Amino acid sequence: MAEILAVGEAMDRALALLEGGEVVAIPTETVYGLAGDATNGIGVARIFEAKGRPRFNPLIAHVADMAMAERIALFDPLSRKLAQAFWPGPLTLVLPQRPGNGIHPLVTAGLDTIALRMPRGFGGDLIGRLGRPLAAPSANSSGKISATTAQAVAADLGARIRLVVDGGATPVGLESTIVKAEGNTLRLLRPGGIAAEEIEAATGMALLRGGGAGVEAPGMLASHYAPGAAVRLNAETVGEGEALLAFGVRRAQGWQSATAFLNLSQTGDLREAASGLFAAMQELDRSGARTIAVEPIPFDGLGEAINDRLARAAAPRDKILPPT
Ligand code: TXA
Ligand code: MG
């Protein structure tokens, strides 16, 4: 079983494991990541193995600072502006790779682009100490809900990894927003922890959505984030044997008969809802309900990413959706 160490006492152990080509689960501001040295093929292969992740699905490389980022990728002015505005933070930029950057090709699944992000907190410190980028997908078995606590990581991956660094519950609770500059336009490849409106405000540009020419976010499988129970969205009523995931003050009809009940935010606060979403889905799933009914959640701000994750949780388990 994986050892769980608090952030204050985990640095040396995490560094030693990463130097040895092992993987380590670490907290970031978004969700927990399963990190390996992005320049070490063995470390990167272990990430795919521990998650059971298909190898065609590329990983995000995490950096400590802008100098490291510029050694890995070629920044256009728009992407640099976004990095300045939102790094460190829950934004991932897809950029052309700088030739000879030392990133192992497994990280990018052979693409000539790379997804880069600068995390806040322990992850950033760890990368700075290691002096090399860390490849880190979310620390969950492929297709399952991302982990937002060290305990959730240990319950899922504990038998397959050596160390989980415990930084408490991750504050944002949703994965990073992924954006790609295409010429003079910006495309949203994955809604996430920074609302599209914030990016639009910082750049004065509207974000394009949907698959543009040549755009792919290979990891956007519909059944991602799937709990064991079925998920039913925009529930106005609660059916027999259903648990209810509520939002705000207006209740679905028959809510009193729900087999289990959680409210993402009594006050209708989307940030609060985002930070508790995955833990709430896991808790309702553990209640043994056949179906989790979910009340309607607005699409503005972080609501876009919340609705994206819920739609993936509700999708048929073998279907592939294009990126939103
Ligand atoms: O918040 C996050 O982003 C977390 C934390 C740990 O940093 N990481 C995360 O990684 O969510 P992961 O592997 O679960 O999701 C990365 C997504 C996948 O959908 C993948 O297909 C996409 O990024 N991706 C990676 N490289 C890409 C590229 N070059 N072009 C387009 N999409 C890419
Ligand atoms: Mg993931």
Side-chain angles (χ1 to χ4, degrees):
M1 257 331 253
E3 190 179 359
I4 301 183
L5 291 178
V7 283
E9 54 192 20
M11 184 61 79
D12 291 345
R13 179 96 182 103
L15 279 170
L17 286 168
L18 292 169
E19 291 282 5
E22 298 282 344
V23 299
V24 175
I26 59 167
T28 82
E29 71 277 50
T30 56
V31 297
Y32 275 73
L34 184 60
D37 180 345
T39 66
N40 180 339
I42 304 222
V44 179
R46 284 199 172 116
I47 296 174
F48 284 92
E49 246 163 60
K51 279 185 65 95
R53 180 175 176 119
R55 307 226 170 185
F56 60 77
N57 188 6
L59 308 175
I60 296 173
H62 296 67
V63 297
D65 50 44
M66 213 45 215
M68 192 183 277
E70 302 255 13
R71 286 197 294 275
I72 296 171
L74 302 166
F75 280 74
D76 57 279
L78 199 47
S79 297
R80 191 171 284 115
K81 183 173 186 177
L82 286 173
Q84 274 158 5
F86 295 105
W87 282 0
L91 176 73
T92 295
L93 296 170
V94 173
L95 298 160
Q97 293 204 62
R98 185 181 289 282
N101 60 11
I103 298 290
H104 194 278
L106 254 184
V107 172
T108 55
L111 296 173
D112 51 13
T113 56
I114 187 161
L116 275 193
R117 154 164 139 74
M118 191 190 294
R120 251 182 229 138
F122 180 84
D125 297 345
L126 179 63
I127 298 160
R129 294 279 297 273
L130 185 68
R132 295 192 292 278
L134 287 178
S138 50
N140 53 276
S141 302
S142 189
K144 292 278 188 273
I145 295 171
S146 296
T148 56
T149 63
Q151 289 67 35
V153 178
D156 182 3
L157 300 177
R160 279 171 270 160
I161 64 177
R162 306 264 292 274
L163 175 65
V164 180
V165 180
D166 188 352
T170 58
V172 176
L174 293 174
E175 301 84 351
S176 59
T177 302
I178 306 182
V179 171
K180 185 181 186 187
E182 296 172 357
N184 222 7
T185 63
L186 277 180
R187 189 172 296 277
L188 179 66
L189 299 185
R190 177 177 76 179
I194 292 182
E197 291 91 327
E198 287 181 71
I199 295 170
E200 293 178 333
T203 57
M205 290 169 60
L207 284 180
L208 305 178
R209 288 171 172 78
V215 169
E216 19 177 283
M220 298 298 271
L221 298 177
S223 72
H224 234 76
Y225 316 102
V231 176
R232 189 168 67 80
L233 303 180
N234 297 315
E236 303 284 355
T237 60
V238 178
E240 171 94 33
E242 288 187 334
L244 181 63
L245 186 58
F247 178 82
V249 287
R250 203 176 69 84
R251 282 295 67 77
Q253 257 180 37
W255 67 275
Q256 300 91 335
S257 67
T259 58
F261 175 88
L262 284 176
N263 195 336
L264 287 172
S265 173
Q266 182 68 35
T267 59
D269 178 344
L270 289 165
R271 276 180 198 278
E272 182 186 9
S275 73
L277 176 68
F278 292 151
M281 301 271 286
Q282 284 163 337
E283 188 175 333
L284 292 182
D285 204 20
R286 276 196 302 272
S287 78
R290 179 174 51 78
T291 300
I292 301 171
V294 186
E295 289 183 353
I297 294 172
F299 275 82
D300 60 304
L302 292 186
E304 182 175 9
I306 294 171
N307 278 293
D308 172 78
R309 304 306 188 269
L310 286 169
R312 287 169 199 286
R317 299 295 149 91
D318 56 356
K319 202 175 137 210
I320 294 180
L321 278 186
T324 45

